[in-house]
Amino acid sequence: MLLRVAWRTGARYEWVHHVRLASRYGVTRDDVNAIAEDRMSSTWTDIEYDLVVATDEMLDSYRVCEATWRRLEKHFDAEQLVEIPFIVGTYTCLAMAFNSWDLREESGVDVAGLPLPRTR
């Protein structure tokens, strides 16, 4: 979800740092490429797919549609469901700040081989 927000908002700082950490949490290069290509990965579980769909819905229409929410309810408890919009909202807010400040990764951070979001 965080990577989808960073990519779609063009938040380079957020994107670079979280792509570099992604493999520690089981996010594969194909997962990263799928996000960078604005597509869904064929390897994502139904839950991962639904979380990315929910992220896209919130970025597009500022809400999770009822059908997506019903699918998420099958996998997450009430407390976890509350977190979903807050994750997307928090990282969208950070993206707005980072983009406004034109924040870039620190010197020495290797971005070679990484897809990089376009500045919006």
Side-chain angles (χ1 to χ4, degrees), residues 1 5 8 15 31 33 39 48 58-59 64 71 77 81 86 100 102 112:
M1 293 170 65
V5 168
R8 293 222 21 221
W15 172 260
D31 296 332
N33 289 339
R39 65 176 172 84
E48 291 167 330
M58 285 184 277
L59 291 170
V64 178
R71 290 193 308 273
D77 64 31
L81 288 167
F86 280 104
S100 294
D102 198 27

Coordinates of all heavy atoms in Angstrom, one line a residue, residues 1 5 8 15 31 33 39 48 58-59 64 71 77 81 86 100 102 112:
M1 N 0.8 -1.2 0.0 CA 0.0 0.0 0.0 C 0.9 1.3 0.0 O 0.6 2.2 -0.8 CB -0.9 0.0 1.2 CG -2.0 -1.1 1.2 SD -2.9 -1.3 2.7 CE -3.7 0.2 2.8
V5 N 1.1 4.2 -2.9 CA 0.9 5.6 -2.7 C 2.1 6.4 -3.2 O 2.0 7.4 -3.9 CB 0.7 5.9 -1.2 CG1 0.8 7.3 -0.9 CG2 -0.7 5.3 -0.7
R8 N 2.2 6.4 -7.1 CA 1.1 7.2 -7.7 C 1.2 8.7 -7.4 O 0.7 9.5 -8.2 CB -0.3 6.6 -7.3 CG -0.5 5.2 -7.8 CD -1.8 4.9 -8.3 NE -2.7 6.0 -8.7 CZ -4.0 6.0 -8.4 NH1 -4.5 5.0 -7.8 NH2 -4.7 7.0 -8.9
W15 N 9.4 6.6 -2.1 CA 9.5 5.4 -3.0 C 10.9 4.8 -2.9 O 11.0 3.6 -2.6 CB 9.3 5.9 -4.4 CG 9.6 4.8 -5.4 CD1 10.7 4.7 -6.2 CD2 8.7 3.7 -5.8 NE1 10.6 3.6 -7.0 CE2 9.4 2.9 -6.8 CE3 7.5 3.2 -5.3 CZ2 8.9 1.8 -7.3 CZ3 7.0 2.1 -5.9 CH2 7.7 1.4 -6.9
D31 N 7.0 -7.5 -7.6 CA 6.0 -6.7 -6.9 C 6.3 -5.2 -7.1 O 5.3 -4.4 -7.5 CB 6.0 -7.0 -5.4 CG 5.6 -8.4 -5.0 OD1 4.8 -9.0 -5.8 OD2 6.0 -8.9 -4.0
N33 N 8.0 -3.8 -9.6 CA 7.8 -3.5 -11.0 C 6.4 -3.4 -11.3 O 6.0 -2.5 -12.1 CB 8.5 -4.6 -11.9 CG 10.0 -4.5 -11.8 OD1 10.6 -3.4 -11.5 ND2 10.7 -5.5 -12.2
R39 N 0.3 -1.8 -12.6 CA -0.5 -3.1 -12.8 C -0.5 -3.9 -11.6 O 0.2 -3.6 -10.6 CB 0.2 -3.9 -14.0 CG 1.6 -4.4 -13.7 CD 2.2 -5.3 -14.8 NE 3.5 -5.6 -14.5 CZ 4.0 -6.6 -13.8 NH1 3.1 -7.4 -13.2 NH2 5.3 -6.8 -13.6
E48 N -3.4 -9.3 -0.8 CA -2.5 -8.2 -1.3 C -3.2 -7.5 -2.5 O -3.1 -6.2 -2.5 CB -1.2 -8.9 -1.8 CG -0.4 -9.4 -0.6 CD 0.7 -10.3 -1.1 OE1 0.6 -11.0 -2.1 OE2 1.8 -10.3 -0.3
M58 N -8.9 4.7 -2.9 CA -8.8 5.8 -2.0 C -8.1 7.0 -2.7 O -8.5 8.2 -2.5 CB -8.1 5.5 -0.7 CG -9.0 4.7 0.3 SD -8.3 4.3 1.8 CE -7.4 2.8 1.4
L59 N -7.1 6.7 -3.5 CA -6.4 7.8 -4.2 C -7.2 8.4 -5.3 O -7.1 9.5 -5.6 CB -5.1 7.2 -4.8 CG -4.0 6.9 -3.7 CD1 -2.8 6.2 -4.4 CD2 -3.5 8.1 -3.0
V64 N -12.9 3.6 0.0 CA -12.9 2.2 -0.4 C -14.3 1.9 -0.8 O -15.3 2.1 0.0 CB -12.4 1.3 0.7 CG1 -12.4 -0.2 0.2 CG2 -11.0 1.7 1.1
R71 N -14.8 -7.6 0.8 CA -13.7 -8.6 0.7 C -12.7 -8.4 1.8 O -12.2 -9.4 2.3 CB -13.0 -8.4 -0.7 CG -13.9 -8.9 -1.8 CD -13.2 -9.1 -3.2 NE -12.4 -7.9 -3.6 CZ -12.8 -6.9 -4.3 NH1 -14.1 -6.9 -4.7 NH2 -12.0 -5.9 -4.6
D77 N -9.8 -7.8 11.1 CA -10.8 -7.5 12.1 C -11.0 -6.0 12.1 O -10.4 -5.3 11.3 CB -10.3 -8.0 13.5 CG -9.0 -7.3 14.0 OD1 -8.7 -6.1 13.6 OD2 -8.2 -7.9 14.7
L81 N -9.1 -3.0 9.9 CA -9.8 -2.3 8.9 C -9.7 -0.8 9.1 O -9.6 0.0 8.1 CB -11.3 -2.7 8.9 CG -11.6 -4.1 8.3 CD1 -13.0 -4.5 8.6 CD2 -11.3 -4.2 6.8
F86 N -6.1 4.9 7.2 CA -5.0 5.7 7.9 C -3.7 5.5 7.3 O -2.9 6.5 7.2 CB -5.0 5.5 9.4 CG -6.1 6.2 10.1 CD1 -7.2 5.6 10.5 CD2 -6.0 7.6 10.3 CE1 -8.3 6.3 11.2 CE2 -7.1 8.3 10.9 CZ -8.2 7.6 11.3
S100 N 6.2 18.8 -2.0 CA 6.2 20.2 -1.9 C 7.6 20.8 -1.6 O 8.0 21.8 -2.0 CB 5.3 20.7 -0.8 OG 3.9 20.4 -1.2
D102 N 10.3 19.2 -2.5 CA 11.2 18.6 -3.5 C 12.2 17.7 -2.8 O 13.4 17.8 -3.2 CB 11.8 19.7 -4.4 CG 12.3 19.1 -5.7 OD1 11.8 18.1 -6.2 OD2 13.3 19.7 -6.2
A112 N 20.4 3.3 -8.7 CA 20.7 2.6 -10.0 C 19.8 1.3 -10.1 O 19.7 0.6 -9.2 CB 22.2 2.2 -10.1

